[in-house]
Amino acid sequence: MPVSRATIIRGPCVITGGGQTFFTAGDARYVRSPKKLNVTVSGEVIERRTDYWDVALTFTPMCPFTQAYLDVLFPHNNPVRYASVFGGATDKPWICHGLDGRKLTIANGYVSKMPQLMLSAGKLPFGEITIRGIIANNAAPDDAGSIDAEGTETYSYPAPNPADFVTQNWTAAFGDADPWDALVLVDGLIVDFDFATIDDRSDDQGVMDVLYDNLTAFAKLTPKGITAAQLRAQQDIEVPRGSSFAGGAADLVLTGADGSVITLYQANVEDDASLEFGQKERVGELTFRNSRRIDTGVLGSIFDIVAAS
């Protein structure tokens, strides 16, 4: 059957959420995934819905490195286990608005995958982010717009400003002992997150909420000028069985050239650090993984990202 070119739609979009507007590096993708039960009866497969469609919006944000944007991209720095990721009954919509005027609205979404941070003078800072949508508060799965909605509205966003997209040099300090308190980096560093949640469901609504389960943050970097002996001393090789890894923990503080600061609290050098024998320097890539800090009996942040004022 012939196809008219007018029916073939392509083109970029902007994404809004948390009161901020994001351009995208490359394509954005919105996926609806059915949840179903397959029952085989006399060789025939009968499918039944077990939940509403699972929806997810994935994109690489292009935005300023300012506190307003960072708070939207990295909202889970101090989670309380089994608390709602939404923080209450108010829905949090996300909107994908195409240049052609098509507008897709997720009724209630949360950041299910925080973007990787690529901190280097030669790289843009943000990796891919995923927004997962669940049913709107106090809604039924067959209510119109309870999961998402589509419509049309004139695209009226201003053009992106190249000055908003910052690349910069970063330094790292781990504790206050030389040479770890002023690490020189071979090629910047990466900060990433292991984030786990639990779906809270009812039999009539399906997944009606999402609860915090666990979060850790970690950084990967290759230091320049660290000796094998200095790494061995930092790793506490000769310690009794049963010793806590927290004994050598310290805050990993990352500082950008503009004064922005990222802190991974109570970090440790993981024990799979590599020693290189060849062209590369002796101490290879190191991974710093953090643990939860406790301030006078109160759980503190796992990480903090503070933009330059």
Side-chain angles (χ1 to χ4, degrees):
M1 183 180 72
V3 176
S4 170
R5 288 190 294 271
T7 66
I8 301 174
I9 302 173
R10 297 185 178 91
C13 68
V14 296
I15 293 167
T16 58
Q20 304 302 322
T21 299
F22 300 89
F23 294 96
T24 67
D27 296 342
R29 174 174 292 140
Y30 183 68
V31 177
R32 297 185 183 100
S33 303
K35 295 182 178 180
K36 57 188 179 180
L37 172 69
N38 293 335
V39 180
T40 302
V41 180
S42 301
E44 296 294 325
V45 176
I46 302 173
E47 296 182 338
R48 291 290 183 268
R49 295 182 184 274
T50 61
D51 215 324
Y52 54 81
W53 292 75
D54 205 5
V55 299
L57 173 64
T58 301
F59 63 99
T60 300
M62 293 286 288
C63 62
F65 202 91
T66 61
Q67 201 63 50
Y69 281 93
L70 294 171
D71 289 345
V72 176
L73 296 175
F74 304 95
H76 309 306
N77 66 313
N78 192 8
V80 177
R81 199 175 193 194
Y82 307 138
S84 170
V85 299
F86 296 101
T90 302
D91 289 330
K92 298 183 177 181
W94 282 78
I95 298 171
C96 180
H97 198 162
L99 188 63
D100 64 337
R102 296 293 298 178
K103 187 176 181 180
L104 172 68
T105 301
I106 300 174
N108 186 32
Y110 73 98
V111 177
S112 62
K113 177 181 178 293
M114 292 183 287
Q116 185 183 78
L117 282 162
M118 295 167 288
L119 307 177
S120 168
K123 300 174 183 176
L124 289 166
F126 302 121
E128 192 174 79
I129 185 175
T130 299
I131 309 300
R132 182 191 178 202
I134 71 165
I135 195 168
N137 186 52
N138 202 29
D142 52 349
D143 288 346
S146 61
I147 309 298
D148 63 13
E150 294 188 58
T152 58
E153 182 179 323
T154 301
Y155 182 101
S156 58
Y157 299 92
N161 181 3
D164 287 341
F165 312 134
V166 177
T167 58
Q168 60 180 324
N169 177 58
W170 289 76
T171 59
F174 180 60
D176 55 8
D178 182 67
W180 300 93
D181 60 344
L183 291 171
V184 177
L185 309 180
V186 171
D187 187 27
L189 70 154
I190 290 172
V191 177
D192 213 340
F193 310 92
D194 289 331
F195 181 46
T197 57
I198 301 169
D199 287 345
D200 186 15
R201 65 180 67 242
S202 68
D203 204 36
D204 60 340
Q205 287 182 287
V207 177
M208 56 183 296
D209 200 358
V210 179
L211 312 179
Y212 286 115
D213 186 14
N214 190 47
L215 170 69
T216 58
F218 59 93
K220 291 179 178 290
L221 59 87
T222 301
K224 196 164 189 65
I226 298 293
T227 68
Q230 288 168 331
L231 175 61
R232 183 181 182 87
Q234 182 61 49
Q235 287 185 289
D236 289 335
I237 302 297
E238 287 92 6
V239 294
R241 293 181 63 197
S243 298
S244 171
F245 281 101
D251 295 345
L252 179 65
V253 181
L254 314 172
T255 305
D258 69 349
S260 298
V261 177
I262 301 172
T263 306
L264 273 59
Y265 295 103
Q266 294 297 292
N268 261 301
V269 180
E270 290 198 336
D271 56 356
D272 56 354
S274 63
L275 294 177
E276 306 290 343
F277 293 85
Q279 179 184 352
K280 295 180 179 180
E281 291 190 40
R282 181 70 75 230
V283 174
E285 183 179 80
L286 304 180
T287 299
F288 295 78
R289 186 175 294 271
N290 82 325
S291 57
R292 194 71 179 262
R293 64 171 180 157
I294 301 177
D295 299 325
T296 62
V298 178
L299 290 175
S301 299
I302 293 173
F303 68 93
D304 278 320
I305 305 178
V306 179
S309 56

